[in-house]
Amino acid sequence: MSTATVVGGGPAGLIAAEVLARAGVDVTVHDRMPSVGRKFLLAGHGGLNITHTEGRDAFLARYGASADRLRPMLDVFGPEDLRAWCAGLGEPTVVGTSGRVFPLSFRATPLMRAWLARLTDLGVRIEKRQRWDGWSSDGASRFTGADGRTVEVGGDVTVFALGGASWPRLGADGGWTGPFTDRGIAVTPLRAANVGVRVGWTEVFAQRFAGTPLKNVALTVRGRPARGRGDAMLTRTGLEGGPVYAVGAAVREALDADGRCVVEIDLRPDLTVAQLDERLGRRRPKDSGSSWLRRTVGLDPAAIGLLREADAGTLPSSGMAERIKAVPVVVTATMPIERAISTAGGIAWSQVDGSLMLSALPGTFVAGEMLDWEAPTGGYLLQASFSTGVVAAHGALARLGPAASGDGLGGPATV
């Protein structure tokens, strides 16, 4: 029987283990934590947005510069395949009003429990509290257990799915980058993605509005095409939320170029400047500035406070409609990587072939966030993690040859 070592027990690693085991491969998963799938389970606290139903072109565009590399992998195991896989585990999915896809239970725990039971039935062994520490002189993977003892593990093929460096307390701390770089494998530095940004609010504004949402706003980065829309959250030190994460790559580019970044917030994205001007013209003589903005264009106190914050504590004396459409907010930095939902960077695409095998290490495959791609929240992160895990496993099976030609090679429907 062929053997496979899977390093990392997140979605990419576990789906790779499943595909390999279905093909009759003897699979062992090694994970550094006391239990697998910890970040997956954390995502379930928010409902487990597992994928998205938007059209193919729009879906692919979410992956930016990596869209062309991920395109064939989403063809192998795409959103409909992932939904069918969930249903096969007894967790049918539902589509939210925004097109996001969730398990019917809106929880990760039932899905993970059923998945682990399936892996057990397939004979997959999971070794926990095993930290990967690089390779031995003969190419075996070296693991250190909780007791401090080191073991060396070989295999006919190896799939690495060690994640990025966000939420390190859940197991992924980016420590793998050093050993890979030492082997001559190009690794783009890991950086925070889907993370909040720092803004130097005045103390008065921070005290009053920290923890308050800016409802249904659109964010752009001045001079760049990226755009995010939804509810943003004002924090004591900056901004968080989906529309902030959607422009994260553009924020990083601006910070790298200039050391500062101006994010423009459209407080009324469904109205044009002309429409706002018409409504603002209905001001009553006795209206205060706040009453005027609330009554004519529906701005709430947080939005009005943001307008004042952008103009040194006063409302602009002219050009109000234009300002409502583009409130400038100076971003000084992103939050640290430890607070990020995901990371950008990782093993460069130039280092792997179409099956995600490392050119420098034949028989070694990588999947998930270890690769240099990023995407916003909304199901895109999990989808690509699953898709790359399936593709890496199929590549490993092809490497093993006919001896591992069971139903795991039959394509996504068999996963």
Side-chain angles (χ1 to χ4, degrees):
M1 181 182 288
S2 298
T3 60
T5 298
V6 175
V7 188
L14 294 181
I15 199 68
E18 181 176 343
V19 174
L20 289 161
R22 283 180 175 275
V25 178
D26 183 10
V27 183
T28 303
V29 177
H30 297 262
D31 193 86
R32 66 176 290 189
M33 302 303 287
S35 58
V36 295
R38 290 199 163 196
K39 192 173 177 183
F40 184 77
L41 293 170
L42 179 67
H45 292 172
L48 192 63
N49 178 194
I50 201 161
T51 188
H52 205 289
T53 58
E54 70 182 348
R56 175 180 168 78
D57 289 345
F59 196 104
L60 282 167
R62 304 293 185 176
Y63 298 102
S66 295
D68 287 342
R69 295 303 301 259
L70 288 169
R71 183 190 306 270
M73 301 178 201
L74 291 168
D75 288 340
V76 170
F77 193 77
E80 288 304 315
D81 302 306
L82 183 50
R83 295 185 68 186
W85 175 82
C86 290
L89 286 171
E91 281 292 310
T93 54
V94 295
V95 181
T97 55
S98 64
R100 299 184 179 198
V101 177
F102 303 87
L104 185 60
S105 66
F106 284 90
R107 297 170 59 220
T109 304
L111 189 64
M112 179 59 74
R113 187 181 297 120
W115 194 5
L116 293 177
R118 175 186 283 179
L119 292 172
T120 298
D121 290 343
L122 288 169
V124 174
R125 293 181 300 281
I126 298 179
E127 299 289 343
K128 304 166 187 173
R129 297 182 185 274
Q130 297 289 308
R131 187 185 71 244
W132 182 76
D133 285 330
W135 292 275
S136 64
S137 58
D138 62 358
S141 283
R142 192 169 57 242
F143 296 95
T144 301
D147 58 3
R149 290 190 299 175
T150 298
V151 297
E152 295 181 0
V153 178
D156 296 317
V157 292
T158 301
V159 178
F160 282 94
L162 285 166
S166 60
W167 290 94
R169 64 184 179 84
L170 301 179
D173 62 2
W176 56 266
T177 58
F180 274 79
T181 302
D182 291 343
R183 293 296 292 264
I185 297 164
V187 179
T188 305
L190 299 177
R191 303 184 66 183
N194 290 302
V195 70
V197 296
R198 293 190 182 278
V199 179
W201 305 126
T202 62
E203 186 63 23
V204 171
F205 182 84
Q207 283 189 351
R208 182 173 181 189
F209 295 111
T212 305
L214 292 171
K215 290 285 191 178
N216 188 27
V217 296
L219 270 67
T220 56
V221 176
R222 184 176 289 174
R224 299 175 188 272
R227 180 179 172 88
R229 181 165 175 175
D231 294 347
M233 180 65 69
L234 295 165
T235 70
R236 186 167 187 82
T237 55
L239 285 166
E240 296 270 1
V244 180
Y245 307 154
V247 298
V251 168
R252 291 199 312 272
E253 291 169 1
L255 289 171
D256 289 345
D258 304 320
R260 67 194 294 274
C261 166
V262 178
V263 170
E264 295 180 338
I265 301 180
D266 184 346
L267 297 173
R268 280 293 173 263
D270 293 323
L271 297 175
T272 66
V273 170
Q275 289 171 325
L276 284 169
D277 265 331
E278 190 276 329
R279 296 187 184 195
L280 291 166
R282 304 171 191 170
R283 183 172 187 172
R284 297 168 179 169
K286 293 185 178 180
D287 276 347
S288 66
S290 296
S291 298
W292 170 46
L293 294 171
R294 183 179 63 251
R295 184 179 58 80
T296 59
V297 294
L299 296 187
D300 61 20
I304 296 169
L306 187 67
L307 285 167
R308 294 183 185 277
E309 181 76 358
D311 276 271
T314 64
L315 291 173
S317 58
S318 62
M320 179 63 79
E322 289 82 0
R323 179 50 58 90
I324 289 172
K325 295 292 290 181
V327 185
V329 174
V330 177
V331 171
T332 58
T334 65
M335 293 299 181
I337 200 166
E338 294 81 6
R339 292 183 56 181
I341 292 174
S342 62
T343 49
I347 293 172
W349 288 108
S350 61
Q351 305 299 290
V352 296
D353 63 16
S355 67
L356 298 180
M357 184 174 74
L358 286 165
S359 302
L361 296 174
T364 299
F365 300 78
V366 290
E369 275 194 76
M370 287 184 74
L371 291 158
D372 185 9
W373 62 271
E374 64 177 300
T377 56
Y380 312 103
L381 293 166
L382 278 174
Q383 178 64 64
S385 293
F386 276 97
S387 298
T388 55
V390 169
V391 167
H394 285 186
L397 291 173
R399 176 81 179 178
L400 292 171
S405 59
D407 66 356
L409 271 177
T414 67
V415 175

